Amino acid sequence: MALYNRIEGRLLKEQLHSAPRLNRTTLSFYKYHHLADPKGFRDKLYKILSSLGVLGRIYVAPEGINAQVSVPSSQLNAFRAALYAIDFLNNVRLNIAVEDNGKSFFKLKILVRKKIVADGLDDSTFDVTNCGIHVSAKEFNRLADDPNTIIIDMRNHYESEVGHFKNAICPDVDTFREELQVAEDLMAQHRDKNLLMYCTGGIRCEKASAWMKHKGFKNIFQLDGGIIEYARQVKEQGLENKFIGKNFVFDERLGERITDDIISSCHQCGAPCDDHTNCKNDGCHLLFIQCKACGEKFSGCCSIECKQIIQLPEEKQKEIRKGINKGRQVFKKGRSQHLLNINQ
């Protein structure tokens, strides 16, 4: 069997959105583990998951695995059994999505990378398994109420912009690599305080807490299972929910609602909104927040320029973006020139 998807992504996405609502379960999991043959493991995993109809994006590296997938609900038990049959993944926690429309992913992509999370760290210089104390939702709330605790959001600015924990410090950073330095600098004068970290599902805090311990900090805590598991526990146990807004996710949904609070604004008109989208111009693809009214006005684009481009024939659009490497494009809190021009 082919070990890669060979159908154009655009067609797969159209099929996903035009198909009837499917009964699928979106979930994520990760595990730090030394893999001697990441490529061989990747191919084996692709065969297993594709046979079960699993879609998603998975990163495999010498340090382990990081996965976000959508599983046919009818195959959930078979998926769990197949995953747990892999020794180092036996009983790995599966973070079930808070909100799920069954259309989070449209293909299966398993990539071999140097790291499962880009952090810029030299793992040979410290013990990545010597991480902070994992805390439950109840314990998180108790620590959050302690005046001796500093809460740091270990996610990127566009994630925390739509939702975060009350009283958390949310650094204006684009990458996890930047976040690590911010956390270290911030705590330099607060070594006697509790450092309480959180992220989406726990993987970034796993590495960050080990790094902070390596740098000499003592009272390091991390939210076990991240925001996803926290939301499940507070609902199940009837606890106070200290998270406000929406949890940003890295799939087609781009977010799952935790509370009804809307704490961000449309980047084009300023109206209350927390719906992320990608600019429909493939030569731009900027990630930004857009309300429905602006979505209609700009045809799902971030600017008049991009709106004009998508009205051109496809061949002309390809010609315009040919040879241009846009890199990683995310809205930077008012620093996007296209969006600034709109508001002038």
Side-chain angles (χ1 to χ4, degrees), residues 32 223 291:
Y32 280 100
L223 180 57
C291 68

Side-chain angles (χ1 to χ4, degrees), residues 190-206:
H190 303 285
R191 289 183 174 270
D192 60 328
K193 292 186 177 293
N194 300 318
L195 171 55
L196 180 56
M197 298 185 291
Y198 70 89
C199 57
T200 307
I203 187 171
R204 283 176 278 190
C205 289
E206 200 80 19

Side-chain angles (χ1 to χ4, degrees), residues 21-222:
R21 184 180 295 273
L22 301 176
N23 190 13
R24 303 184 69 92
T25 300
T26 299
L27 57 90
S28 61
F29 64 92
Y30 70 89
K31 183 72 173 182
Y32 280 100
H33 178 80
H34 294 299
L35 288 173
D37 181 15
K39 176 61 167 59
F41 174 74
R42 179 261 172 218
D43 292 347
K44 173 184 176 182
L45 188 64
Y46 191 96
K47 290 179 181 178
I48 294 172
L49 299 187
S50 61
S51 69
L52 296 173
V54 175
L55 306 176
R57 180 173 55 249
I58 301 174
Y59 298 137
V60 173
E63 66 175 358
I65 182 173
N66 180 17
Q68 297 87 39
V69 297
S70 171
V71 183
S73 298
S74 61
Q75 296 281 17
L76 192 56
N77 288 336
F79 167 80
R80 185 180 288 106
L83 201 64
Y84 288 178
I86 300 171
D87 286 346
F88 80 93
L89 292 177
N90 187 24
N91 289 322
V92 67
R93 183 184 52 243
L94 304 179
N95 286 326
I96 307 296
V98 178
E99 271 191 334
D100 196 355
N101 59 8
K103 298 180 179 181
S104 52
F105 293 98
F106 58 92
K107 63 180 176 180
L108 176 61
K109 181 185 291 187
I110 306 181
L111 303 175
V112 176
R113 289 190 163 184
K114 291 182 179 179
K115 288 197 171 190
I116 54 178
V117 175
D119 52 38
L121 301 178
D122 181 358
D123 291 353
S124 66
T125 62
F126 70 106
D127 183 1
V128 297
T129 65
N130 184 25
C131 54
I133 299 172
H134 292 72
V135 297
S136 65
K138 184 176 182 179
E139 293 165 332
F140 182 96
N141 285 356
R142 179 183 61 79
L143 280 166
D145 289 335
D146 186 340
N148 197 47
T149 296
I150 293 178
I151 308 171
I152 300 184
D153 191 318
M154 295 305 296
R155 303 172 302 155
N156 304 322
H157 72 80
Y158 53 89
E159 298 174 77
S160 60
E161 184 175 7
V162 295
H164 55 76
F165 279 100
K166 298 174 184 177
N167 301 318
I169 295 172
C170 302
D172 183 11
V173 297
D174 293 342
T175 66
F176 179 52
R177 181 187 307 218
E178 296 174 83
E179 180 74 65
L180 285 169
Q181 189 60 57
V182 169
E184 184 179 339
D185 293 344
L186 180 67
M187 294 300 295
Q189 303 301 317
H190 303 285
R191 289 183 174 270
D192 60 328
K193 292 186 177 293
N194 300 318
L195 171 55
L196 180 56
M197 298 185 291
Y198 70 89
C199 57
T200 307
I203 187 171
R204 283 176 278 190
C205 289
E206 200 80 19
K207 179 65 72 72
S209 66
W211 175 251
M212 294 299 284
K213 289 186 70 174
H214 168 67
K215 299 300 287 187
F217 296 95
K218 305 298 182 183
N219 307 315
I220 308 298
F221 302 88
Q222 63 188 91

